[in-house]
Amino acid sequence: MEYLYAFLFAGVACALAQILFNHTKLTAGHVTSLYTVLGAILSFFGIYEKCLQKFGAGASVLISNFGHMLYTSALEGYKAKGILGIFSELLCKSSAAITAAIVFAFVFSFIFKPRD
Amino acid sequence: MVNIMNKEEYKKLVKKYEPKKNNCMSLLISFLVGGLIGFIGQVIVNILITSFGIAKMDAYAWSCIIIIASGSLLTALGFFDSWVGKVKAGLIIPTTGFSHSVTSAALDYRKEGLITGLGSNFFKLAGSVILYGVISAFFLCILEVIIHG
């Protein structure tokens, strides 16, 4: 059942983005940024946490999860260290995603040649 | 004699040669591909939890890393670009889109030098995601602190 939920949530989120692509002139950069900000806003209202519990990986594979991770780690940082915590812990949870993207992109760009 | 078209005629002409977008079809493909990535993510998470005994939160982080790595590898192998052209949102909205944009920038600009090419163009496409993510998270956190103390 959780597989179905994951499938449906990720599918619907992508379909909504496709509607944006089809009916507006927004580029991929616009839509991904929008989804990230939207993730942070949903996290602010506590909705994204519930989505993660209900839809599991369906919510965690989306780019909105990036905004959610940024917001929650900033808040946890504030609770631990005050204002300094917001600055020092904001990227804490999303570090895994950013570091993975940087390392793999860098290494693969040396192994493979660009194709056109 | 120069034939000057008025705006209406020009619009008609443009519309005639514009590639026709199949809206319903692209919607369905995005739904299926995006859903499939969510499904694969869930499969990875469950395998990590049951077979490797990894804690739930760590399993989500690992699945994120695995999906980013595979998106990066598929981009480097040259499959991803044509897929993104066809599927669009289904591959861009999951984290694969993030790794795709970083990897394709790295591949394309490496020949222009390590610093001036690769270094300065690395986050050309993904930078806006990080920038607006950090900005929105920061100010929402400040707002939360102001509201709830």
Side-chain angles (χ1 to χ4, degrees):
Chain A
M1 203 61 192
E2 61 182 341
Y3 293 112
L4 183 70
Y5 281 141
F7 183 90
L8 286 177
F9 188 80
V12 168
C14 292
L16 287 175
Q18 187 64 44
I19 292 174
L20 281 177
F21 277 125
N22 287 349
H23 295 282
T24 60
K25 287 199 160 54
L26 297 175
T27 62
H30 289 104
V31 177
T32 43
S33 304
L34 180 73
Y35 264 63
T36 313
V37 174
L38 216 62
I41 293 170
L42 286 177
S43 182
F44 174 74
F45 289 110
I47 300 168
Y48 211 84
E49 193 62 51
K50 288 195 183 102
C51 288
L52 275 172
Q53 278 162 14
K54 181 127 182 96
F55 303 107
S60 82
V61 294
L62 300 178
I63 195 78
S64 344
N65 192 42
F66 187 64
H68 167 72
M69 287 192 292
L70 289 171
Y71 175 76
T72 48
S73 47
L75 202 61
E76 280 167 25
Y78 177 78
K79 278 168 189 159
K81 290 182 198 163
I83 297 291
L84 175 68
I86 302 179
F87 285 98
S88 62
E89 313 259 307
L90 190 114
L91 288 164
C92 212
K93 284 183 186 169
S94 47
S95 173
I98 297 176
T99 310
I102 292 174
V103 169
F104 290 117
F106 187 76
V107 171
F108 289 151
S109 79
F110 279 88
I111 300 171
F112 299 99
K113 289 211 159 55
R115 302 191 185 182
D116 37 18
Chain B
M1 202 180 94
V2 184
N3 186 9
I4 300 169
M5 282 186 282
N6 60 27
K7 274 187 179 170
E8 291 289 305
E9 278 175 40
Y10 180 71
K11 268 184 190 165
K12 266 184 200 165
L13 201 71
V14 166
K15 213 161 201 175
K16 203 173 146 192
Y17 291 105
E18 229 173 29
K20 278 206 174 64
K21 287 182 199 162
N22 196 336
N23 283 349
C24 288
M25 200 61 195
S26 65
L27 215 63
L28 186 68
I29 292 173
S30 276
F31 174 73
L32 290 176
V33 173
L36 189 68
I37 294 175
F39 174 76
I40 292 170
Q42 190 66 56
V43 170
I44 294 171
V45 166
N46 284 7
I47 288 173
L48 287 174
I49 290 173
T50 52
S51 306
F52 295 90
I54 295 171
K56 200 175 178 189
M57 286 320 290
D58 291 348
Y60 278 116
W62 270 116
S63 75
C64 193
I65 292 170
I66 291 168
I67 286 170
I68 282 176
S70 40
S72 200
L73 183 65
L74 288 171
T75 306
L77 290 171
F79 298 119
F80 221 87
D81 282 315
S82 59
W83 292 353
V84 166
K86 284 179 199 132
V87 180
K88 210 140 196 186
L91 288 169
I92 289 172
I93 295 305
T95 23
T96 48
F98 186 72
S99 66
H100 164 70
S101 62
V102 180
T103 311
S104 56
L107 282 169
D108 289 343
Y109 289 103
R110 194 172 64 86
K111 61 178 180 294
E112 289 174 26
L114 283 181
I115 303 298
T116 52
L118 183 75
S120 52
N121 291 301
F122 200 76
F123 286 111
K124 207 171 193 178
L125 300 159
S128 64
V129 172
I130 297 179
L131 169 66
Y132 291 110
V134 168
I135 294 290
S136 59
F138 183 81
F139 286 107
L140 283 169
C141 190
I142 298 283
L143 190 66
E144 171 75 24
V145 168
I146 291 168
I147 293 171
H148 294 110

